[in-house]
């Protein structure tokens, strides 16, 4: 291992450890702030969190000042150029923004003319109703008020924002709204990351290992296709009865669904690797094992792009479905509560939040895929002008006809 790589590893390990060290440093100066620490209980405030974050990020400036300063400057320039980039995006893709504008305006118009029905909440809520009658009422739905226990320490969050469930509806604040969304998002994302991580690792490992032995591949192909056809949503009650309602249950449930889908996709990607790659490697003297891991496995990765993205979407579906049918926290729980209350506006909020997180998941999986296939040549031009291609093809055809004449 080179010295540069060793120093890089030590930097990241030290930064991960410093998150606890910086918290202890800020805690030692608790008398200077408005947070309270007594008898193993810490009452968190926004001042404490701000000092903690600043001190944690100061680690990077101490050990990597140039890179950290360059990153801050780059972020600042990006924020300053954001209006210009949005304007350029509108100019380059006007139909995209026009379509969204028409959809949003159309939704608002439909909310005015749609019948109110017999429910407490409108069937098609307008954006004013969504913001002030649904989103603002989420301020009472954050469960961090009871505290969070760690070994030897209990964190209390009651000082961050008023809790309307105890202090009354008049104490609602937008800070509590974002705390509620953050709390339930964190619970859902933790379950998704655990299950999706297990499913991706197990699916890729199994899907790449089985094709190495042809007999094992032929035996396992039919069972895995059969398991893929099982409706996973119907297995949620069994999951609750057999495993309970906890992180272990969701991890196994999400991991199983992603694993089955990814194994079949991986085996299919391996089978579609061109034979000429294998023949070339074997001709040059590569062993069967080396050919498989140095030629076949990398050659199968480009075809796995769609499978990885589908795995992310499937993971979100399974997570929300599992929370919808039994968990007391998470975005799925918020959707289930909205269904029970026939609160369509809150369902719209949950849908928007989940769609936003799904886009982030898509971006993360896409970046991971790009690292896996960084050896592939990249296209210089982003698009192909079909009219030029057609024109060139027509010119070539006319030239061929003239030669034949």
């Amino acid at each position: 291992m080179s010295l540069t790589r060793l120093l890089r590893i030590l930097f990241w390990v030290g930064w991960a450890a410093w998150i606890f060290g910086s918290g202890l440093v800020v805690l030692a100066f608790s008398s200077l702030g408005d947070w309270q620490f007594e008898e193993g209980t810490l009452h968190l405030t926004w001042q404490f969190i701000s000092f903690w974050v600043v001190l944690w990020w100061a680690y990077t400036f101490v050990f990597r000042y140039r890179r950290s300063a360059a990153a801050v400057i780059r972020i600042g320039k990006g924020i300053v150029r954001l209006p210009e980039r949005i304007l350029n995006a509108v100019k380059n893709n006007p139909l995209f923004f026009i379509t969204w504008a028409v959809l949003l305006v159309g939704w608002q118009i439909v909310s005015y003319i749609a019948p109110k029905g017999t429910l407490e909440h409108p069937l098609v809520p307008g954006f004013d109703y969504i913001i002030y009658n649904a989103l603002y009422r989420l301020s009472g739905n954050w469960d961090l008020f009871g505290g969070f226990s760690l070994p030897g320490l209990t964190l209390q969050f009651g000082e961050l924002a008023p809790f309307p469930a105890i202090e009354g509806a008049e104490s609602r604040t937008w800070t509590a709204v974002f705390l509620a969304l953050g709390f339930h998002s964190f619970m859902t994302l933790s379950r998704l990351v655990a299950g999706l991580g297990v499913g991706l690792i197990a699916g890729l490992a199994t899907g790449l290992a089985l094709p190495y032995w042809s007999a094992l591949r032929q035996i396992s192909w039919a069972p895995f296709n059969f398991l893929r056809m099982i409706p996973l949503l119907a297995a949620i009650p069994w999951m609750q009865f057999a495993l309970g309602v906890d992180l272990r249950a969701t991890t196994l449930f999400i991991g199983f669904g992603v694993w089955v889908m990814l194994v079949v996709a991986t085996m299919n990607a391996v089978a579609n690797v061109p034979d000429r790659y294998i023949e070339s490697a074997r001709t040059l003297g590569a062993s069967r094992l080396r050919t498989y891991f140095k030629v076949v496995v990398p050659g199968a990765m480009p075809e796995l792009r769609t499978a990885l993205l589908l795995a992310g979407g499937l993971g979100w579906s399974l997570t929300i479905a599992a929370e919808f049918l039994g968990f007391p926290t998470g975005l799925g729980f918020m959707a289930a509560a909205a269904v029970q209350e026939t609160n369509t506006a809150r369902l719209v909020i949950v849908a928007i939040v989940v769609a936003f997180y799904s886009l982030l998941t898509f971006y993360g999986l896409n970046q991971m895929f790009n690292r896996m296939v960084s050896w592939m040549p990249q296209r210089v031009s982003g698009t192909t002008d079909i009219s030029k291609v057609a024109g060139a093809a027509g010119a070539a055809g006319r030239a061929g006809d003239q030669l034949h004449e």
Side-chain angles (χ1 to χ4, degrees), residues 235-314:
I236 294 178
W238 175 85
M239 176 199 72
Q240 295 175 341
F241 297 144
L243 303 176
V245 182
D246 53 17
L247 181 61
R248 180 192 62 174
T250 55
T251 300
L252 293 178
F253 178 67
I254 300 168
F256 174 78
V258 174
W259 173 65
V260 172
M261 186 272 293
L262 203 56
V263 165
V264 177
T266 305
M267 293 174 64
N268 188 59
V270 170
N272 290 334
V273 174
D275 292 337
R276 64 178 182 273
Y277 294 171
I278 303 173
E279 295 171 356
S280 299
R282 297 304 298 271
T283 301
L284 294 174
S287 64
R288 182 171 178 268
L289 182 64
R290 186 175 182 83
T291 300
Y292 186 75
F293 285 101
K294 295 295 185 180
V295 176
V296 177
V297 173
M301 289 301 152
E303 192 172 331
L304 284 176
R305 179 191 185 94
T306 303
L308 290 174
L309 299 180
L310 289 176
L314 179 62

Side-chain angles (χ1 to χ4, degrees), residues 28 66 92 139-140 180 215 233 235 239 259 262-263 298 317 356 367 381 386 398:
R66 292 184 178 179
N92 296 330
S139 58
L233 298 182
M239 176 199 72
W259 173 65
L262 203 56
V263 165
S317 300
F356 174 74
Q367 292 298 314
S381 58
I386 301 299
R398 289 191 296 271

Side-chain angles (χ1 to χ4, degrees), residues 340-371:
Q340 293 177 358
E341 300 172 1
T342 63
N343 192 339
T344 53
R346 187 163 295 184
L347 283 175
V348 173
I349 296 172
V350 174
I352 294 174
V353 173
V354 171
F356 174 74
Y357 289 140
S358 298
L359 288 175
L360 292 181
T361 306
F362 174 88
Y363 176 78
L365 290 175
N366 193 49
Q367 292 298 314
M368 183 183 71
F369 171 83
N370 290 335
R371 287 182 175 272

Side-chain angles (χ1 to χ4, degrees), residues 21-323:
S22 58
L24 294 176
V25 171
V26 177
L27 191 61
F29 294 94
S30 59
S31 59
L32 302 178
D34 59 354
W35 55 89
Q36 300 177 0
F37 177 72
E38 51 186 11
E39 298 180 357
T41 301
L42 174 63
H43 297 273
L44 285 177
T45 63
W46 290 113
Q47 185 182 9
F48 177 89
I49 295 176
S50 300
F51 285 160
W52 192 354
V53 171
V54 170
L55 194 60
W56 183 53
W57 278 99
Y59 177 93
T60 62
F61 285 87
V62 172
F63 293 96
R64 290 187 175 183
Y65 174 77
R66 292 184 178 179
R67 293 187 180 182
S68 301
V72 172
I73 295 174
R74 186 166 58 251
I75 293 173
K77 290 182 178 179
I79 295 175
V80 172
R81 294 182 57 187
L82 185 60
E84 179 183 354
R85 296 181 64 179
I86 294 176
L87 183 60
N88 291 334
V90 174
K91 291 180 179 179
N92 296 330
N93 302 284
L95 291 179
F96 174 83
F97 292 91
I98 292 175
T99 301
W100 274 105
V102 171
L103 290 175
L104 295 176
V105 173
W107 177 280
Q108 188 68 18
I109 294 175
V110 172
S111 68
Y112 292 138
I113 63 178
K116 295 184 178 180
T118 59
L119 304 177
E120 178 183 357
H121 304 280
L123 295 176
V124 184
F127 295 109
D128 51 346
Y129 190 92
I130 293 174
I131 294 175
Y132 295 104
N133 291 78
L135 182 62
Y136 195 58
R137 291 178 179 271
L138 287 177
S139 58
N141 288 0
W142 60 293
D143 296 341
L144 292 174
F145 185 79
F148 184 75
S149 297
L150 296 172
L153 181 64
T154 300
L155 301 179
Q156 293 289 341
F157 300 88
E159 299 295 331
L160 296 178
F163 198 68
I166 296 178
E167 301 184 22
E170 65 279 358
S171 63
R172 291 193 176 101
T173 60
W174 284 108
T175 303
V177 171
F178 291 109
L179 283 174
L181 290 175
F183 169 71
H184 290 286
S185 298
F186 173 79
M187 299 305 296
T188 299
L189 288 172
S190 61
R191 294 161 187 154
L192 173 73
V193 170
L196 191 59
V198 171
L200 289 176
I201 295 174
L204 289 175
T206 308
L208 293 175
L210 290 178
Y212 186 75
W213 296 277
S214 58
L216 190 59
R217 179 183 67 245
Q218 295 174 5
I219 294 173
S220 59
W221 181 258
F224 274 109
N225 275 282
F226 174 76
L227 290 175
R228 189 178 59 168
M229 300 303 171
I230 296 177
L232 293 173
L233 298 182
I236 294 178
W238 175 85
M239 176 199 72
Q240 295 175 341
F241 297 144
L243 303 176
V245 182
D246 53 17
L247 181 61
R248 180 192 62 174
T250 55
T251 300
L252 293 178
F253 178 67
I254 300 168
F256 174 78
V258 174
W259 173 65
V260 172
M261 186 272 293
L262 203 56
V263 165
V264 177
T266 305
M267 293 174 64
N268 188 59
V270 170
N272 290 334
V273 174
D275 292 337
R276 64 178 182 273
Y277 294 171
I278 303 173
E279 295 171 356
S280 299
R282 297 304 298 271
T283 301
L284 294 174
S287 64
R288 182 171 178 268
L289 182 64
R290 186 175 182 83
T291 300
Y292 186 75
F293 285 101
K294 295 295 185 180
V295 176
V296 177
V297 173
M301 289 301 152
E303 192 172 331
L304 284 176
R305 179 191 185 94
T306 303
L308 290 174
L309 299 180
L310 289 176
L314 179 62
W316 269 107
S317 300
L318 297 178
T319 305
I320 298 299
E323 293 179 341

